[in-house]
Amino acid sequence: MSRRAAAAPLLVLVAALAYPVAVLSGGLPRFPTRAECIHPAKEGVPLEAVFGRFDLRASAEARFQRVLAAGFKGTKIEPDGCGRLKVDVAGIPNLAVGHDLLKEAAKVGLTATLESVP
Amino acid sequence: MSWRTILGVVALNAWFLVVGVGVLFALRGWRSWGELARLCGLAYMLGIAATAVVLVWALVLTVPFSVATVIGAGALVALVAAFAGGRTGRRLPSRPRPRVPGWSLVATVSAALVVVYCEAQFRAGRLASLTEFDGWFFWVAKARAIFSFGDLDPQFFRELPHHGYPPLVPTLEAAAMRFMGSADVVTLHLQFWFLLVGFVAALVGLLAPRVRPLFLWPPLLLVLVTPRVSGYALQAQADFLLEELLAVAALLIGLWLVDRSDWQLVAAGIVLAAAMLSKREGALFGACVVLAGLGATWRQRRTAWPRLVGVGVAAAAATLPWWILLHVRGLGAETPEAGGIGLFSHLDLAWPSLKLTFSTLFDYHQWLLVVPVAALAIAGAFVAGARRLPSYALLLFVFGAAALTYTTWAFPSIPITKAPVNPIIRLTGWLVLVTPAVIPLVLNEGWDAE
């Protein structure tokens, strides 16, 4: 095999290796965690009270019924965008109203978090 | 996405390659192991086409769909091929002797660019989400049904949109899901990466020893970097698979015009059968390929036409089980709204449909300069004195443009627009992908004629 004949496939091989090496030199791809689906509440954006996230539909349904029975109208079950279901009440206009809602929930034994709607 | 699912897709496509090597052995054999390596792309396309067609037949016959079915269908194809090859006296060459063919600078640099391009496509495809509308609306939904139920569930397929669309692509996707072990719609995009790589390898393998590198590589690179191909080739729907199959069939028939080797027609028939089972338009565009071949062999029609017509008829016959199943289930074939004489009731749509076809084919933002380059190449070859292949290519584009016009004209309810509601951009891809398959042959013949 002549030197020139060997150089051509070698060049292709170098290019084939150079690309992944260049890409991987910046580190492996980063995947968002499920925690990144939770957006902290802040003033000036739509807010929601989340009564829990669940992997199973049945668990979400049970919490939904409990929240509804406690009188929180407008409660619904939604996908959270990270493969889980969340039970939430949306349409909270500001932080003050949101904190009042959390206190109401605590009085009936429900835990909720105030979050920004993405 | 995990290594296990990726390895599943790799295993499936390795199996298609093995089956295709068997088909290639039956059709033509190989003089050396280097020649087999060069033709691996074609072997892969033949393997996937033949296996997928048999799998569709198996589903129609209610054979339960599983990994064993996929392996069994491939084994059946490979066994029949090996038997046929043995009957025709084919023998394997002696043990391999390492030999690297001489590569020109153009070939070397272009091959390096294509390899890097394919790596970049893999990187994009391995984490691509299923956002394409038709993909999640019915193509992948059908695949998931085949994966989950193991058959063409009558109720599901009746109620799903576009039940009349041929099922080869969902079958292929379901095979990938079976090998992955789950309905992983992200990793599924890698199946379409293998198809793209197989298509490119088939073109290069068939053309490299016959045409000058300058005629082969630049058209191929130009098509690969078009916004449409680079951005959409891995979508989990039928368009690009259909177009890749049609382009390979068009190339095989173009080669037959030069060589008159019957294996090229049989291979074209296998690939066309898969194309016709991929999308409804497969039959229309496949007919364009055959018609272009008929037109280019006008002077030898007595000997050439029966063979070419035979290819078209055999390919169409392979789709019959599917149409029979639709009929038995009382489902419509979803024929065009204004097909046949219905076109004459909508004559006002003819000119706008034609204009839409041409404006899309020449749309720089979709296809760069592929079609103008193809037109110039055909014209240049005619001027240089070549006739056979430029005529074939010209007829391909003329019939192809007419067929594309029909796809808009025959559906009056679809707006005449390039917006996604009209599939014209996706459909024009078949003539774009035909370009790197046929134009290198045209350029080469023109160069030799001068």
Side-chain angles (χ1 to χ4, degrees):
Chain A
M1 192 189 309
S2 75
R3 193 176 294 175
R4 192 179 160 191
L10 203 63
L11 185 73
V12 176
L13 185 68
V14 168
L17 292 174
Y19 177 77
V21 167
V23 168
L24 292 174
S25 64
L28 290 170
R30 198 191 73 83
F31 295 94
T33 64
R34 283 183 160 176
E36 289 174 67
C37 264
I38 300 168
H39 305 277
K42 55 186 177 187
E43 201 66 77
V45 297
L47 300 171
E48 64 184 3
V50 178
F51 289 88
R53 287 179 160 77
F54 305 91
D55 289 326
L56 299 175
R57 180 96 207 170
S59 310
E61 189 70 34
R63 178 62 57 88
F64 168 75
Q65 293 298 344
R66 201 179 148 208
V67 174
L68 211 56
F72 291 94
K73 288 180 180 167
T75 307
K76 54 188 183 299
I77 302 174
E78 291 182 304
D80 76 342
C82 288
R84 290 185 295 183
L85 295 164
K86 63 182 178 182
V87 177
D88 66 69
V89 175
I92 298 171
N94 54 48
L95 285 173
V97 173
H99 288 304
D100 287 345
L101 190 147
L102 297 192
K103 283 180 197 161
E104 292 294 322
K107 280 182 194 167
V108 291
L110 287 167
T111 308
T113 54
L114 204 56
E115 299 178 14
S116 298
V117 178
Chain B
M1 199 275 305
S2 70
W3 285 109
R4 190 195 173 285
T5 54
I6 291 178
L7 284 174
V9 182
V10 171
L12 174 65
N13 287 280
W15 178 235
F16 288 142
L17 177 61
V18 169
V19 174
V21 168
V23 177
L24 195 68
F25 176 72
L27 292 181
R28 73 185 288 283
W30 45 88
R31 289 186 297 273
S32 69
W33 294 101
E35 187 178 66
L36 173 62
R38 177 170 62 76
L39 293 173
C40 267
L42 175 65
Y44 171 78
M45 295 302 282
L46 288 170
I48 205 163
T51 310
V53 168
V54 173
L55 281 173
V56 169
W57 293 344
L59 278 170
V60 168
L61 295 172
T62 65
V63 175
F65 191 85
S66 65
V67 169
T69 318
V70 178
I71 292 174
L76 180 68
V77 172
L79 280 174
V80 170
F83 178 73
R87 291 275 293 178
T88 51
R90 300 213 191 287
R91 293 286 175 271
L92 295 175
S94 56
R95 64 194 170 89
R97 277 167 291 183
R99 194 182 74 82
V100 179
W103 291 20
S104 70
L105 184 65
V106 173
T108 305
V109 173
S110 303
L113 289 172
V114 168
V115 167
V116 171
Y117 172 90
C118 290
E119 288 177 335
Q121 282 284 11
F122 182 91
R123 188 176 167 223
R126 79 185 187 91
L127 291 176
S129 57
L130 184 66
T131 53
E132 49 273 20
F133 182 83
D134 282 4
W136 60 259
F137 189 46
F138 61 91
W139 289 116
V140 176
K142 287 180 179 180
R144 291 180 72 152
I146 297 170
F147 168 75
S148 302
F149 305 138
D151 61 12
L152 299 167
D153 182 74
Q155 183 184 349
F156 189 83
F157 275 79
R158 186 183 309 114
E159 292 176 3
L160 204 67
H162 302 308
H163 54 254
Y165 283 18
L168 186 136
V169 171
T171 304
L172 202 54
E173 292 173 339
M177 289 173 182
R178 281 281 167 193
F179 272 70
M180 288 189 288
S182 66
D184 181 343
V185 298
V186 173
T187 310
L188 183 63
H189 291 83
L190 290 186
Q191 179 55 52
F192 293 84
W193 179 83
F194 275 101
L195 290 164
L196 179 66
V197 171
F199 164 70
V200 171
L203 260 52
V204 172
L206 284 167
L207 289 170
R210 321 176 58 111
V211 303
R212 292 161 179 82
L214 206 55
F215 297 154
L216 165 62
W217 293 98
L220 179 60
L221 282 167
L222 177 62
V223 167
L224 290 179
V225 299
T226 55
R228 198 72 201 169
V229 174
S230 58
Y232 298 87
L234 306 191
Q235 286 193 330
Q237 42 194 29
D239 300 288
F240 271 96
L241 171 60
L242 168 71
E243 289 153 11
E244 288 155 358
L245 292 167
L246 287 167
V248 172
L251 170 57
L252 287 163
I253 289 182
L255 291 173
W256 180 80
L257 294 176
V258 180
D259 299 342
R260 298 300 166 104
S261 298
D262 283 342
W263 77 264
Q264 292 159 335
L265 285 186
V266 179
I270 294 170
V271 176
L272 276 178
M276 290 180 185
L277 271 173
S278 296
K279 275 195 93 176
R280 292 178 306 171
E281 292 85 356
L284 180 64
F285 299 155
C288 292
V289 175
V290 174
L291 282 173
L294 294 177
T297 52
W298 174 260
R299 290 186 179 163
Q300 306 89 39
R301 55 187 176 277
R302 187 169 292 177
T303 55
W305 282 20
R307 285 178 163 80
L308 283 166
V309 170
V311 169
V313 170
T319 67
L320 275 179
W322 168 247
W323 301 120
I324 291 170
L325 179 74
L326 280 185
H327 179 72
V328 168
R329 289 187 176 181
L331 299 172
E334 295 188 83
T335 50
E337 298 162 10
I341 56 169
L343 288 177
F344 296 106
S345 307
H346 299 88
L347 282 174
D348 55 316
L349 296 180
W351 178 242
S353 302
L354 183 68
K355 273 203 304 186
L356 180 68
T357 295
F358 275 88
S359 71
T360 311
L361 281 171
F362 287 87
D363 189 336
Y364 182 84
H365 300 293
Q366 300 295 338
W367 304 117
L368 298 179
L369 295 171
V370 173
V371 177
V373 165
L376 279 174
I378 294 168
F382 270 121
V383 169
R387 289 292 176 267
R388 184 178 39 190
L389 288 170
S391 304
Y392 173 61
L394 179 65
L395 289 170
L396 264 178
F397 276 87
V398 169
F399 290 138
L404 287 165
T405 303
Y406 175 82
T407 60
T408 303
W409 186 5
F411 289 90
S413 67
I414 295 180
I416 297 181
T417 169
K418 288 186 204 171
V421 66
N422 187 321
I424 190 70
I425 292 176
R426 288 184 278 132
L427 295 178
T428 47
W430 94 270
L431 284 180
V432 173
L433 263 62
V434 155
T435 299
V438 172
I439 292 304
L441 289 173
V442 172
L443 287 168
N444 213 57
E445 192 176 72
W447 186 268
D448 290 341
E450 200 176 46

